[in-house]
Amino acid sequence: MKRYDFDTCIDRRGTACEKYEDLMTIFGTDRVIPLWIADMDFATADFIVEAMHKRMQHPIFGYTFRPRCYHEAICGWMARRGEWQIDPSWIAFSPGVVAGVTFAMLSCTEPGDGVVIQPPVYHPFANTIRNNGRKVLNNPLIQDPEGEGGCGGYRIDFEDLDAKLSQARAMILCNPHNPTGRVFTKGELLKIGELCRKHDVTIISDEIHCDFIFRPHRHLHIAALNDDLANRTVTLIAPSKSFNVAGFSTAAAVIPNAERRAAYQAEMDKIHIENGNIFGAVALQTAYEQGDEWMNQLLEYLQENVDFVYEFIQKELPSVKCYKPESTFLMWLDFRAWGMTQEELNRFLVEEAGLGLGDGSIYGAEGTGFERLNIGTPRSVLERALSQLAEAVQKRGL
Ligand SMILES: Cc1ncc(COP(=O)(O)O)c(C=O)c1O
């Protein structure tokens, strides 16, 4: 069987790569190892690149539509990876997952309506709610590292969720959850579903990370759990994270309910954005038709990266709390024991450790004192980054 290479370090400079070439703007210096934005450093799978070359051999790139085989590729992937049988007619286009979340939100809410999110959570959710004149209703995850919740002890405060949903028209669910790495269980999803039904709230389920699931955890698509959930949910998926093809701006919304689908489509029609681009369609179809083995091997590699980081931190940096994520290629590091403000922490990491991590406070107040570490990179990069961190910690006597 072919072994894919995740160990080679590829120089990404010169490709207008945000992760490597926007460092001055984000960190005020370009002398950091960039481990921030959720973009992996691995080469996109060779079969996707080949499919791209093949399409390029035809010299005309005019208007195209997404053919039946494109939709069937999505159905096949969802059935094989997530045991969700979907109908091709349920699939709508989106030029990105956040764009899809936004179209879904616009299709089921009015200005002033409340939308629930669960911080610390992917920050563009709050931005899109506010930018579109809706109201952010926070249902913070509770963290109890000694308790029974998943990684890091993060669990849902259902009493608060009940109260927040009573004022809401929509909930943006992030499952798997970025940045905590939780994969919500069937029990949790059914409880969310019951409460959304009680308050007649639409669920917008961002499942962009659903291909990254570490054993023994299992991703369940909330819309697949029962008929009510199928009818009240818009699910967003994409190959962008899984196959490192975010630059193609191609995602899909799965909307089983015909009225909801029409409402979603109507929002897209308002800005005439249905076309997408040829290469995104080729990349998605190829990834979902041929990507199983690549994804399996990537997951093995990422699991080893998780184990490596976790063990290093336990041994060399015990004052940093670190959890093994159930999903994603992101690790959520807790630096609160150092007693620094977020600004001091960021400055220490950039200036003394030479690391460009993701500032935890952007995910909501609950993320203060945390940093998000992107482990979607060759192990040698992580080795170097963690050694730099350990050295800086030692120098400072932390
Ligand atoms: C939970 C989540 N949703 C959406 C996105 C971005 O999706 P897109 O670039 O397709 O809008 C990310 C990227 O990090 C993410 O983590």
Side-chain angles (χ1 to χ4, degrees):
M1 190 197 303
K2 175 168 181 160
R3 290 304 298 176
Y4 292 102
D5 170 20
F6 301 106
D7 276 321
T8 299
C9 294
I10 301 169
D11 187 352
R12 301 181 66 181
R13 288 167 305 172
T15 63
C17 166
E18 214 178 323
K19 188 176 182 181
Y20 283 80
E21 295 181 80
D22 212 12
L23 296 175
M24 281 304 285
T25 324
I26 310 287
F27 301 104
T29 168
D30 52 11
R31 297 174 66 82
V32 289
I33 302 178
L35 299 160
W36 58 293
I37 194 169
D39 177 325
M40 302 189 293
D41 291 325
F42 309 126
T44 296
D46 53 358
F47 45 87
I48 297 178
V49 178
E50 274 163 31
M52 224 53 81
H53 278 303
K54 189 166 166 225
R55 178 60 188 84
M56 261 186 216
Q57 274 160 14
H58 192 289
I60 300 179
F61 305 101
Y63 289 122
T64 49
F65 63 93
R66 286 172 289 280
R68 189 168 175 83
C69 49
Y70 167 95
H71 295 95
E72 282 169 353
I74 298 175
C75 297
W77 184 256
M78 300 300 274
R80 293 195 308 283
R81 308 297 294 192
E83 293 173 38
W84 186 20
Q85 307 293 335
I86 62 171
D87 190 276
S89 68
W90 298 353
I91 300 167
F93 173 69
S94 179
V97 164
V98 178
V101 164
T102 305
F103 296 135
M105 178 182 74
L106 294 174
S107 73
C108 69
T109 59
E110 300 292 332
D113 283 346
V115 180
V116 174
I117 56 172
Q118 297 179 301
V121 74
Y122 184 58
H123 54 293
F125 293 166
N127 294 344
T128 195
I129 295 170
R130 290 196 192 101
N131 292 344
N132 287 287
R134 274 64 173 171
K135 195 168 126 205
V136 175
L137 296 171
N138 283 318
N139 166 232
L141 294 180
I142 297 175
Q143 197 200 16
D144 173 12
E146 313 306 323
E148 293 203 343
C151 55
Y154 280 101
R155 61 187 162 80
I156 297 171
D157 179 346
F158 281 106
E159 211 174 298
D160 180 67
L161 181 60
D162 192 6
K164 297 293 160 54
L165 287 173
S166 72
Q167 308 159 47
R169 295 277 298 278
M171 168 172 182
I172 304 176
L173 175 66
C174 190
N175 182 36
H177 189 271
N178 171 11
T180 68
R182 278 298 321 275
V183 178
F184 295 116
T185 62
K186 187 172 185 181
E188 287 172 311
L189 294 174
L190 286 172
K191 221 158 159 184
I192 292 170
E194 260 170 50
L195 293 175
C196 286
R197 181 182 183 147
K198 175 175 164 190
H199 298 293
D200 197 17
V201 165
T202 298
I203 300 171
I204 302 167
S205 190
D206 176 338
E207 303 186 15
I208 195 169
H209 292 282
C210 70
D211 296 324
F212 298 92
I213 306 295
F214 300 118
R215 283 195 208 106
H217 303 284
R218 187 163 165 237
H219 178 78
L220 296 167
H221 299 285
I222 191 168
L225 295 181
N226 60 43
D227 286 347
D228 179 69
L229 282 165
N231 276 319
R232 70 174 62 257
T233 302
V234 173
T235 303
L236 281 309
I237 54 146
S240 49
K241 301 283 164 208
S242 317
F243 293 92
N244 219 15
V245 290
F248 288 129
S249 293
T250 299
V254 183
I255 315 173
N257 181 282
E259 263 177 54
R260 272 193 201 288
R261 206 162 55 240
Y264 173 96
Q265 193 63 48
E267 290 304 323
M268 292 235 300
D269 290 347
K270 283 182 193 168
I271 50 171
H272 195 79
I273 202 168
E274 174 70 22
N275 269 2
N277 77 70
I278 299 174
F279 294 107
V282 171
L284 179 146
Q285 185 182 330
T286 311
Y288 285 169
E289 281 175 355
Q290 301 179 38
D292 292 84
E293 182 54 32
W294 192 86
M295 195 67 220
N296 293 344
Q297 290 186 28
L298 171 67
L299 278 173
E300 278 172 33
Y301 192 86
L302 290 174
Q303 178 70 68
E304 288 167 15
N305 275 1
V306 167
D307 294 344
F308 168 73
V309 171
Y310 182 80
E311 278 153 31
F312 186 100
I313 289 182
Q314 296 282 97
K315 205 163 141 226
E316 309 290 337
L317 295 160
S319 57
V320 180
K321 281 213 178 69
C322 167
Y323 317 104
K324 288 194 182 188
E326 297 167 352
S327 170
T328 75
F329 51 95
L330 309 162
M331 289 178 78
W332 188 229
L333 307 182
D334 178 354
F335 292 91
R336 287 176 298 178
W338 290 359
M340 294 182 183
T341 63
Q342 190 76 35
E343 208 193 322
E344 287 165 346
L345 175 60
N346 292 341
R347 207 166 336 113
F348 169 77
L349 293 168
V350 171
E351 293 173 7
E352 297 179 44
L355 299 182
L357 304 185
D359 175 339
S361 66
I362 64 171
Y363 304 101
E366 300 75 9
T368 304
F370 290 77
E371 297 277 334
R372 197 185 72 170
L373 168 71
N374 179 345
I375 58 147
T377 194
R379 196 146 321 128
S380 59
V381 176
L382 293 175
E383 282 166 5
R384 194 154 44 88
L386 290 176
S387 308
Q388 285 180 201
L389 181 58
E391 211 174 295
V393 165
Q394 203 182 17
K395 263 196 202 149
R396 259 284 194 119
L398 286 164

